[in-house]
Structure formats: structure tokens, C-alpha cells
Amino acid sequence: MVMASSMRFLSTPAFFLSSLTMLSGCGLRNAVGGLENAAATRQQTEGLSNAIDALQSSSADWRQVLEDTESKLTQDSQATVRDEIANVLSRTVAQAGVEFRCDADFINKRVAEDLIAIKAASLGQSIPAPRPSFCRVVPDVVDRSAVPQDVKQLSFYGYNFDHVDQLHVRLVNMDGSTNDVTNSVNHPTPYAMTLSFGTTGVRLDDRSLRLELGWNQTEVASVGVIQPQALVPVCASKVVPIFAVDSRRTIGPFVPPKAGMGDAEFDGHGPNIVISVALAISSQRVAARVFMDAMETEADWTEVEGWQDYTLYQAENGWTIDHVDRSTSSSAHYLQPNSRKKGAPVVHEISKGPSDLVESYQIIGDTHGNDVGRTSVSLRFNPIAVTLTQVANCASGPALQRAISAHLLSRATETALREQLITSK
């Protein structure tokens, strides 16, 4: 299972200072230059915001969004941001090919995070440290009798694997001891990591129990090892609700920070609001990353934008998360009618119904007075059930079924497992 990631491309925002030149008393030429730079920065910020908003839709074509955004940044002061977008485009095009095992919605979310980081750097804001995001491990289980002749490596698919230094892989043995095998990990692309088996990689023996992939002291994926003539049993599983208490289905309000060059007031001009939420699922935790962007529709283009992670569920000891029963993302858009609000903030509700990840969004946009620090969103989730698998010397039934379907097991192991799965039902 995977966990949602943040991107880091720019080590410092210092080189953007030329586009933030302030007007001074150095003459008309400097004043005109300052105005041109300010206009370029506003156009740049608006273009990045529009691209980020567009990528919140699962139907968006991430490549077209990046190309359109890049083509609109034509001024010299926008060259660095234009180059960074070109880097994201070439990086994603080059690596998200036939070997990429994550869906289009996954790519959209990751590319949007790239642009959020670029935008933050261009505005001199802090850039979150990157973290990996995982979507799939192939194979789900490893048959030791097929290693390394038929199964030469373990592949982890996801995003941001080339920007982190806290990834580690451990081989867990039946007696509880562990071996750090991180040195056998290769990073062929930002979207894939491989763990080699055999003489130049990890050597499995009759004590090997499972392989664990972790990041920052947290386990994010586990792959069981099947021993010949000693088939790993099918793990026990159970389904539990993430929201055991109904009142906890609502999170927020999330109040995004100020972004851009505007003042603190939408002043009756919109704002145009885009919100998205995506689940990040690891072996032990389900979290929701909430993103919100609200931008004034004219004048000085006041904007608030940001994201925040909320932990929705933590697995109990002795159990690991196999999957959840609901879609893992949702989004909403609201263009507030132009008006000058007076009195208490008005809450606008967007209902998504029972089939969406989110049941409803409660949005506060333009208010009476300063809006920065008050514009916000709260989310009420639909019920979510999570399937847990026992952590023991066993493998989950679905993982074993996938391994059989992919023909990743020896014939003898496959035959024995088919009989075992029938018996365990």
C-alpha cells in the first residue's frame, strides 16, 4: 500500500528575487521594470495556480496542463520557473512509460505537488521536505524456490524515489532477527525501485520470513517469503470501520496560509476555490491530505493555498492494512459570487453524496474583513472500512491469488497454494 508524497525541486528560492523587485526612487526605468516584474510574477502565480487546480481532476491530462502552463511563461523573469516546469514534464514523460504501474490519477496528484513546490519557491515560501509515495509492489509474495532463476528482483512502484535518503529495506527472519539489505536497492527511475536477488543482491535462505520497505522509521510495504515444503499459511483478516465514532467523520476546518502578492482581503471578488483530498495508505496508517486554493478573481489577486495531512486511522498492534473499500480521492470547486459580505461568515456546503470519498464540503470563502486566516474548509467523510491482515508468518489471501495469477511461483508451490486457498475459505 502507498502513502501520499511531497515534492522538492528547488533548493532555494533566492534566484526568484529578480521577479519580486519592489518599486524604488531610482528613476522611471527602475519603476517601470519593477511594475513589469510584478505583473510577470502575478501572471506566473496565476498560471501555476490554474495548473494545480486543473490537476485536481482525475480526467485532466497532466502533460497538456504542463505544456500549456510552460508556453504561457514567456518573459525573461519567468525563465527559472519555466525551466522547472520543463524539468517536471521531461522527468514525468521519460519515466511514466509502459513500466509505470500507477494510475493516471496518481500521476496527476504527484505532478500537482511538483507545481505546488515550484510555486512556493517562486514566492519565497518554505518547501516541504519530499517523501515517497507508493502504489504497488511486484510481486506481492516471493517464492524462495523461484529465486533467482525465475524471480530476479522485487519492484516497488510509486513516486519521488530519487529525492529521499531515508528509505530502507530489511529482511526479517523467522527468529525475529533482521538484516539491512538497503544496499541492494537500485533507483532506475523516480517512479521505481528494484531490490535484486542472487549473488549480487539479497540472498534468501530457509530462515527468511519477509521483506519490509520503510521510510523515516515507518513501515510502508511488506512482502512475504514462501519457503519450499513449508508453505506460508494464509493470514487471518478482518474488516473494521475507520470512523468508529460517527462524529469523527468530519475533519477541519483547514485554514490555508496566504500565497502570492495580494493583500489579506478578497474584497467581494470571488474567490475561485478548488479543494481536493487524497488518501495516503501505508501498512499501518490511513491519512488524508487536504489541499485548498482560493484566489481573488480580479484586482490584486489575493490568494490562500496549502495542504495539511490528517491521520484517519492507525492499525492496531499485530495487524497491517491490506486495503480500503472506497475511492481514495475527491475534489470540489466553488466560484463564490462577487459581493461584499457583512456579518458572520457564510458557510457554503457542497454535497458529494454517498458514493464519493467525501460526503460534503463546508467552505468559507469571502468574509467581512480580512479573509486570510478565515477562509477555510471542513470535510465530512463517508463511512470507510479498512481490511486488516494479521502480522505473522503468513501471507494475505489476495496477495497469494495475485502471485498465482501472475505466474510468479514455481509449479509445485502454485499447486500447493491453490489447494491451501480453497481449504482456508
Side-chain angles (χ1 to χ4, degrees):
M1 287 302 173
V2 303
M3 191 169 194
S5 68
S6 303
M7 298 299 296
R8 171 171 58 94
F9 283 90
L10 309 176
S11 59
T12 172
F15 41 73
F16 288 102
L17 292 178
S18 62
S19 65
L20 302 178
T21 302
M22 302 301 293
L23 293 177
S24 65
C26 298
L28 179 60
R29 180 177 299 176
N30 287 345
V32 172
L35 288 172
E36 290 176 346
N37 286 337
T41 300
R42 186 180 67 191
Q43 180 197 44
Q44 173 180 290
T45 302
E46 183 179 1
L48 287 169
S49 295
N50 290 339
I52 293 166
D53 293 349
L55 289 166
Q56 305 309 312
S57 170
S58 60
S59 62
D61 182 337
W62 59 266
R63 182 170 183 169
Q64 189 64 52
V65 170
L66 290 177
E67 290 176 344
D68 289 347
T69 305
E70 181 186 5
S71 67
K72 294 175 183 177
L73 300 176
T74 58
Q75 300 188 38
D76 291 342
S77 60
Q78 299 169 332
T80 304
V81 170
R82 187 170 61 245
D83 290 345
E84 289 299 329
I85 293 175
N87 288 341
V88 175
L89 179 60
S90 61
R91 181 175 186 262
T92 309
V93 168
Q95 308 302 342
V98 294
E99 290 302 315
F100 191 55
R101 306 296 181 93
C102 306
D103 60 24
D105 187 53
F106 183 92
I107 301 178
N108 282 1
K109 294 294 186 286
R110 304 290 76 77
V111 171
E113 290 185 352
D114 291 357
L115 297 185
I116 290 170
I118 292 173
K119 180 180 175 183
S122 72
L123 296 172
Q125 300 170 346
S126 61
I127 304 172
R131 68 182 179 188
S133 183
F134 299 90
C135 67
R136 191 176 177 189
V137 183
V138 178
D140 295 287
V141 294
V142 175
D143 179 4
R144 188 170 74 85
S145 63
V147 173
Q149 291 81 9
D150 299 318
V151 179
K152 296 180 172 19
Q153 67 183 24
L154 194 64
S155 298
F156 301 93
Y157 295 97
Y159 200 91
N160 210 29
F161 291 163
D162 58 340
H163 285 278
V164 291
D165 55 8
Q166 300 180 52
L167 288 167
H168 62 271
V169 181
R170 299 188 307 167
L171 174 61
V172 181
N173 300 311
M174 294 181 182
D175 61 3
S177 62
T178 62
N179 304 100
D180 190 326
V181 294
T182 308
N183 288 338
S184 296
V185 172
N186 297 307
H187 298 260
T189 80
Y191 301 93
M193 296 190 309
T194 59
L195 180 71
S196 302
F197 294 120
T199 56
T200 60
V202 179
R203 298 189 182 188
L204 302 178
D205 57 30
D206 57 6
R207 301 177 304 124
S208 302
L209 177 61
R210 66 179 180 273
L211 289 155
E212 293 181 351
L213 175 65
W215 175 75
N216 195 23
Q217 307 305 314
T218 301
E219 181 188 331
V220 293
S222 179
V223 179
V225 176
I226 299 176
Q227 294 288 348
Q229 282 76 47
L231 293 180
V232 60
V234 179
C235 297
S237 64
K238 62 181 179 179
V239 179
V240 298
I242 283 185
F243 304 111
V245 180
D246 184 74
S247 61
R248 294 181 181 176
R249 285 168 53 195
T250 298
I251 63 174
F254 166 54
V255 182
K258 185 178 182 296
M261 299 178 62
D263 56 21
E265 171 60 63
F266 294 129
D267 200 28
H269 306 139
N272 184 45
I273 300 172
V274 173
I275 303 162
S276 70
V277 57
L279 294 186
I281 306 168
S282 70
S283 62
Q284 296 296 310
R285 178 175 177 258
V286 178
R289 166 158 290 187
V290 178
F291 169 81
M292 181 178 187
D293 178 32
M295 176 181 279
E296 190 175 7
T297 56
E298 56 181 277
D300 63 351
W301 308 97
T302 297
E303 182 180 18
V304 295
E305 179 193 59
W307 65 87
Q308 184 168 325
D309 291 341
Y310 295 86
T311 297
L312 303 183
Y313 180 79
Q314 191 76 36
E316 57 190 285
N317 291 335
W319 295 85
T320 185
I321 296 170
D322 187 270
H323 65 276
V324 299
D325 69 345
R326 190 170 286 281
S327 61
T328 59
S329 63
S330 176
S331 62
H333 174 251
Y334 174 52
L335 177 59
Q336 186 167 348
N338 289 353
S339 64
R340 294 184 179 275
K341 298 295 181 183
K342 295 183 179 180
V346 175
V347 178
H348 179 79
E349 181 169 327
I350 296 179
S351 177
K352 302 290 287 187
S355 61
D356 197 270
L357 173 64
V358 177
E359 180 182 280
S360 63
Y361 295 85
Q362 292 78 44
I363 302 168
I364 295 178
D366 193 12
T367 65
H368 179 58
N370 287 344
D371 301 302
V372 174
R374 302 176 72 184
T375 297
S376 65
V377 62
S378 296
L379 304 87
R380 179 169 173 80
F381 286 83
N382 278 305
I384 302 174
V386 58
T387 298
L388 301 176
T389 299
Q390 185 181 20
V391 178
N393 183 17
C394 58
S396 73
L400 294 174
Q401 291 281 15
R402 288 190 291 267
I404 292 172
S405 300
H407 303 293
L408 297 172
L409 309 173
S410 67
R411 181 170 297 180
T413 300
E414 182 176 320
T415 300
L417 278 178
R418 287 183 186 276
E419 296 176 355
Q420 184 178 355
L421 289 170
I422 293 173
T423 303
S424 66
K425 290 183 178 179

